[in-house]
Amino acid sequence: MTTEPLANGLARVLLAGCLLAPFAGFAAPKAPDLEVATLSQERVTLADYRGKLVLVNFWAPWCPPCRKEMPDLEAFHNKYDDTVVLGLAVNYRSKGNVTNMVDMMNITYPVALVGSKLADKFGSFRGLPTTFLVGPEGRISGWPRGPDPGNPFRSAIGGPYGNLSKRDPGTEPAGC
């Protein structure tokens, strides 16, 4: 009698348990307190956006995938009344580099310069860009790892927040 099918089945069950365990029976982690000054010198906190869906996007001006997703972030920010994109520039060479990129890309969502200590409050992540989804109740509801070349915010539009109030009621979200 061979034990290979039993071992394969057990391995699958263990793998599924490991992948799902972090989400089973646990509330989503609370987003860290954060207060930043935007490029326009406005002081903002995550608490200011309570009741809205917030995409906290870590990026750097020298990062090609970051630059590539900025128009999608801008479109997402402009399309929904109950969402906010908060761009947090890390690993930047100068404030001028960040300001030039924001101006060149016509970004209207709030952007702030932050250090690695603030990024560490969100937990470890690999590479840039990285976007954390903070739900209306102030909890981290998702944390996609890096850019999605199709529709980077599909999971935010679908998932638990599939009924966002669109600013332009004549269109449907991309990818739906």
Side-chain angles (χ1 to χ4, degrees), residues 14-54:
L14 289 173
L15 177 62
C18 290
L19 293 174
L20 297 175
F23 305 104
F26 294 101
K30 185 178 181 294
D33 294 329
L34 103 91
E35 182 177 346
V36 295
T38 66
L39 294 177
S40 62
Q41 298 307 311
E42 177 186 1
R43 300 225 42 97
V44 296
T45 67
L46 275 180
D48 294 339
Y49 303 124
R50 193 63 42 94
K52 294 186 176 213
L53 182 67
V54 182

Side-chain angles (χ1 to χ4, degrees), residues 79-80 157 162 166 168-176:
K79 191 169 191 170
Y80 298 98
I157 295 169
K166 286 182 260 171
D168 180 6
T171 62
E172 288 300 315
C176 291

